[in-house]
């Protein structure tokens, strides 16, 4: 998400690369292969939602192209990934109607416009990144019109499935195979990123089990926010404490959104990353302002 670093040369057409990068950017990667594995995970575990994910991604990409946003940003996938998540959420929570595709298109396009405005106002690397903020904000509005979700049934799955299910929940998927495919996609993109994502997911699951929230752990709902928080800082070499702190914050912050009556979504991940970024900036500022002593 907002990953504009150069990527290895790809043999995909420009439109296909941009589209696949939109799926991989959900995991903060810029990798068509990773995006292809994420697409395959949706196709296998939630085929009825695949159309919504693709429509959300395409609407974000076409909006960016129509409005003349920089091609490098369009190719990186930053204008598509919020549309992917919004398309998945809309297909998951709303009954089919002729208005549903129009809703996905509108949300995908608006999320791209919001992302562009954010990028324009935060040009420096030290600025707070948008991550999945457009997805969360639009989803909170949309969910006020959705029917309440029934209570999650008690699950009877093995603990080993909690890790892949946690990775799958990043895309609102609850099938272990989806998580396995997403994990393979991460490995194809970056082994370091895959290891940190596994660490974050395992930490979230372990904490939920310690709090005796077994159902939350086995459904993967305790693992995906820490996994994303770890991925956000996994590329920073020689500073392993940054993803570790982000993971801890994501775990601690997660219950707060439920207590406020808000859908958790990826909000703990976003807030934890913002706190780490803001804390780092304050620390650097205090070091610079400290008087020299001789």
């Amino acid at each position: 998400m907002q990953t504009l670093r150069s990527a290895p040369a790809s043999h995909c057409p420009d439109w296909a690369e941009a589209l696949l990068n939109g799926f991989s950017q959900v995991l903060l990667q810029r990798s068509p292969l990773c995006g292809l594995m994420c697409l395959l995970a949706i196709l296998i575990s939630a085929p009825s939602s695949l159309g919504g994910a693709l429509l959300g991604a395409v609407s974000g990409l076409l909006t960016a192209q129509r409005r003349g946003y920089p091609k490098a940003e369009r190719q990186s996938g930053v204008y598509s990934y919020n549309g992917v998540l919004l398309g998945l959420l809309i297909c998951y929570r709303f009954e089919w109607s002729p208005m549903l595709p129009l809703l996905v298109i509108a949300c995908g396009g608006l999320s791209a416009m919001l992302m562009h405005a954010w990028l324009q106002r935060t040009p420096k690397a030290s600025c707070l990144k948008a991550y999945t903020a457009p997805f969360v904000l639009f989803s909170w509005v949309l969910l006020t019109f959705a029917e309440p979700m029934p209570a999650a049934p008690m699950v009877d799955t093995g603990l080993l499935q909690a890790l892949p299910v946690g990775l799958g929940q990043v895309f609102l998927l609850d099938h272990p195979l989806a998580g396995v495919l997403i994990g393979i996609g991460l490995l194809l993109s970056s082994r370091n990123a895959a290891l940190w994502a596994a660490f974050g997911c395992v930490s979230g699951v372990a904490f939920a089990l310690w709090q005796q929230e077994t159902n939350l752990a086995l459904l993967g709902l305790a693992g995906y926010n820490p996994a994303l928080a770890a991925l956000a800082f996994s590329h920073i070499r020689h500073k392993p404490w940054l993803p570790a702190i982000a993971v801890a914050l994501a775990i601690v912050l997660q219950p707060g959104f439920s207590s406020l009556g808000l859908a958790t979504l990826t909000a703990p991940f976003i807030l934890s990353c913002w706190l780490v970024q803001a804390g780092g900036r304050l620390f650097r500022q205090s070091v610079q302002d400290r008087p020299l002593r001789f």
Side-chain angles (χ1 to χ4, degrees):
M1 302 161 189
Q2 287 181 256
T3 303
L4 301 180
R5 298 187 299 275
S6 59
S10 172
H11 300 293
C12 293
D14 283 355
W15 65 268
E17 181 183 1
L19 188 64
L20 291 174
N21 281 338
F23 281 83
S24 68
Q25 283 283 4
V26 175
L27 299 167
L28 295 93
Q29 306 299 303
R30 180 178 177 175
S31 166
L33 275 177
C34 179
L36 182 61
M37 297 306 295
C38 295
L39 197 63
L40 186 59
I42 299 171
L43 174 62
I44 290 175
S45 60
S48 60
S49 298
L50 180 61
L54 286 170
L55 190 58
V58 170
S59 63
L61 184 59
L62 290 180
T63 298
Q65 185 175 2
R66 183 73 175 175
R67 298 180 69 85
Y69 298 162
K71 183 177 179 180
E73 293 178 354
R74 300 200 310 265
Q75 289 300 112
S76 72
V78 297
Y79 295 123
S80 303
Y81 70 86
N82 280 289
V84 170
L85 291 173
L86 284 164
L88 288 168
L89 178 85
I90 291 170
C91 290
Y92 178 65
R93 290 300 308 271
F94 292 87
E95 293 292 334
W96 163 255
S97 76
M99 292 296 295
L100 200 68
L102 297 178
L103 181 61
V104 174
I105 291 170
C107 289
L110 289 171
S111 69
M113 294 166 63
L114 180 57
M115 177 60 73
H116 180 68
W118 196 299
L119 289 172
Q120 291 292 101
R121 288 161 177 77
T122 57
K124 297 181 180 178
S126 59
C127 296
L128 298 182
K129 295 178 174 61
Y131 297 117
T132 51
F135 160 65
V136 171
L137 292 175
F138 284 119
S139 295
W140 280 343
V141 174
L142 290 170
L143 289 174
T144 60
F145 302 99
E147 292 293 330
M149 285 283 288
M154 291 298 294
V155 294
D156 186 21
T157 58
L159 186 58
L160 289 177
Q161 291 187 7
L163 174 58
V165 171
L167 290 177
Q169 287 287 1
V170 173
F171 287 86
L172 284 75
L173 306 173
D174 58 3
H175 197 287
L177 181 57
V180 171
L181 291 171
I182 290 168
I184 293 172
L186 279 171
L187 280 171
L188 292 172
S189 175
S190 167
R191 183 171 60 180
N192 190 58
L195 290 173
W196 273 113
F199 169 79
C201 193
V202 169
S203 299
V205 169
F207 184 81
L209 291 174
W210 180 58
Q211 293 291 307
Q212 298 183 348
E213 296 176 335
T214 306
N215 211 41
L216 195 67
L218 297 181
L219 284 171
L221 299 176
Y224 70 93
N225 272 295
L228 285 172
L231 283 169
F233 299 96
S234 63
H235 65 282
I236 302 178
R237 303 290 181 178
H238 312 303
K239 292 184 178 180
W241 57 86
L242 290 180
I245 292 173
V247 166
L249 286 172
I251 292 172
V252 171
L253 290 169
Q254 183 158 313
F257 290 93
S258 299
S259 64
L260 291 173
L262 295 170
T264 303
L265 303 172
T266 55
F269 146 65
I270 299 168
L271 186 54
S272 66
C273 292
W274 285 353
L275 288 173
V276 171
Q277 287 181 276
R281 189 161 56 185
L282 288 173
F283 176 77
R284 289 191 296 271
Q285 187 66 38
S286 66
V287 170
Q288 292 173 358
D289 294 343
R290 188 178 300 169
L292 296 175
R293 296 182 180 180
F294 298 96

